[in-house]
């Protein structure tokens, strides 16, 4: 049995096992056992308020500026989602929010974007803090919005008038474990918001598609994969007001550099998710 892929980066993923379902996903193969697919990456510069880029798979946690709900990717169902992981930091303070959860309502938000049945108890119980976590959220959460399409960006959790998770929520609020009483100041700090999902590594069983469809690791400079619309990546400002880099926080893995590594199939079929790629059946040929 092959150990599986252990290097974080962008890989070809086949959600249905068919060549036609190929998408490129950023896989964090190091944090908490690896196998995490990046679905939200918003690196926001202070005093900017660019619109969100939905339906576009982010391919770099350190420079991405887009998000995708899993139901926009052909081949996945909500039952395939095993865990959701949230990470944020801001230049406004030194706390980091970094945790995972297997709550069904939150998994549903990651899948469809619906905040139906969202409530504080989904967040403040049953979560697991991960490396670097020092935030007040989600433990202190006492509410969350219930928009039909707010997903994990439109203030899904908060402690009222104290701490928010907001990715341009209400059209302007960029908050990570803080709250700005003045709406005009709510985008005045640099922020990083990342969401990863880990799918079941045993749910998908496909026949081999042959060596020509072997998954391959792509260049870290690859553009985001657009599911419905195209959008460029957004670079993080290097100004002193920018938050620490993702790599400095020791939380989500940053994109690797150097020559892309080509991968070949072992005994398993092409990977339907980062978790399956991490678990077994793929060995490096580079």
């Amino acid at each position: 049995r092959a150990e599986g892929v252990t290097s974080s980066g962008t890989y070809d993923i086949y959600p249905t096992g068919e060549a036609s379902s190929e998408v490129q996903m950023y896989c964090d193969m190091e944090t908490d056992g690896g196998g995490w697919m990046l679905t939200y990456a918003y690196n926001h510069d202070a005093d900017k308020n660019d619109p969100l880029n939905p339906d576009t798979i982010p391919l770099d946690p350190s420079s991405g500026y887009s998000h995708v709900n899993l139901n926009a990717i052909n081949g996945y169902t909500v039952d395939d989602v095993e865990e959701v992981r949230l990470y944020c930091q801001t230049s406004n303070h030194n706390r980091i929010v970094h945790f995972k959860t297997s709550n069904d309502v939150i998994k549903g938000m990651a899948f469809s974007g619906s905040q139906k049945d969202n409530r504080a108890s989904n967040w403040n119980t049953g979560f697991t803090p991960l490396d670097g976590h020092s935030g007040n959220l989600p433990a202190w959460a006492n509410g969350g919005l219930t928009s039909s399409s707010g997903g994990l960006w439109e203030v899904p959790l908060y402690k009222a008038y104290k701490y928010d998770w907001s990715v341009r929520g209400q059209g302007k609020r960029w908050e990570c474990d803080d709250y700005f009483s003045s709406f005009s100041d709510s985008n005045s700090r640099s922020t990083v918001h990342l969401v990863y999902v880990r799918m079941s590594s045993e749910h998908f069983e496909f026949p081999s598609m042959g060596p020509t469809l072997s998954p391959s690791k792509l260049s870290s400079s690859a553009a985001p994969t657009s599911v419905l619309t195209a959008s460029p990546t957004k670079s993080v400002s290097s100004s002193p007001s920018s938050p620490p880099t993702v790599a400095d926080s020791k939380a989500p893995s940053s994109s690797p550099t150097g020559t892309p590594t080509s991968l070949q199939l072992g005994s398993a079929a092409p990977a339907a998710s980062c978790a399956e790629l991490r678990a077994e059946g793929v060995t490096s040929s580079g």
Side-chain angles (χ1 to χ4, degrees):
R1 174 181 172 126
E3 180 188 14
V5 176
T6 58
S7 297
S8 298
T10 304
Y11 293 89
D12 291 331
I13 300 294
Y14 302 86
T16 70
E18 302 294 333
S20 59
S21 72
E22 177 185 351
V23 293
Q24 297 168 12
M25 302 289 299
Y26 181 87
C27 300
D28 178 353
M29 299 303 200
E30 302 161 65
T31 303
D32 188 51
W36 296 98
M37 296 195 309
L38 183 66
T39 58
Y40 277 65
Y42 279 101
N43 291 268
H44 159 255
D45 295 339
D47 298 318
K48 293 187 177 180
N49 191 36
D50 296 337
L52 301 186
N53 291 314
D55 302 314
T56 302
I57 300 171
L59 297 182
D60 190 336
S62 62
S63 65
Y65 197 87
S66 66
H67 74 277
V68 66
N69 295 325
L70 291 170
N71 65 351
I73 301 175
N74 181 40
Y76 293 141
T77 71
V78 68
D79 292 334
D80 300 324
V81 183
E82 199 166 80
E83 294 176 298
V84 181
R85 174 176 143 220
L86 289 85
Y87 173 95
C88 74
Q89 62 185 55
T90 174
S91 61
N92 192 43
H93 56 71
N94 294 323
R95 298 185 303 277
I96 289 174
V97 172
H98 190 204
F99 67 95
K100 68 176 183 178
T101 179
S102 58
N103 180 273
D104 287 340
V105 172
I106 298 172
K107 291 191 291 185
M109 288 187 212
F111 179 76
S112 70
S114 173
Q115 295 178 334
K116 181 182 178 182
D117 299 323
N118 189 29
R119 56 181 61 92
S121 59
N122 297 323
W123 296 99
N124 60 26
T125 61
F127 70 91
T128 301
L130 296 176
D131 186 28
H133 178 75
S134 57
N136 298 297
L137 295 175
W140 287 25
N142 63 4
L145 298 189
T146 55
S147 164
S148 62
S149 59
L152 294 168
W153 58 271
E154 183 77 58
V155 200
L157 70 159
Y158 61 76
K159 178 176 173 60
Y161 306 110
K162 282 282 190 180
Y163 312 116
D164 286 359
W165 166 288
S166 182
V167 187
R168 202 175 183 265
Q170 300 177 318
K172 194 169 184 178
R173 307 195 76 92
W174 295 90
E175 294 161 330
C176 170
D177 210 44
D178 52 13
Y179 172 79
F180 291 94
S181 58
S182 171
F183 193 69
S184 62
D185 291 336
S186 58
N187 70 332
S188 62
R189 302 292 187 272
S190 296
T191 56
V192 176
H193 288 84
L194 306 174
V195 176
Y196 292 84
V197 296
R198 185 153 56 189
M199 312 296 274
S200 170
S201 61
E202 300 178 355
H203 179 78
F204 306 95
E205 295 182 2
F206 304 125
S208 173
M209 296 193 297
T212 59
L213 293 175
S214 301
S216 60
K217 183 174 179 182
L218 307 173
S219 168
S220 61
S221 62
T225 297
S226 176
V227 180
L228 298 178
T229 58
S231 175
T233 56
K234 177 180 175 64
S235 299
V236 179
S237 169
S238 60
S239 66
S241 62
S242 297
T245 64
V246 172
D248 289 340
S249 71
K250 301 182 181 179
S253 301
S254 58
S255 297
T257 58
T259 304
T261 302
S262 116
L263 302 172
Q264 59 190 13
L265 291 177
S267 59
S273 69
C274 295
E276 192 173 89
L277 192 63
R278 178 66 180 86
E280 62 180 332
V282 183
T283 56
S284 174
S285 63

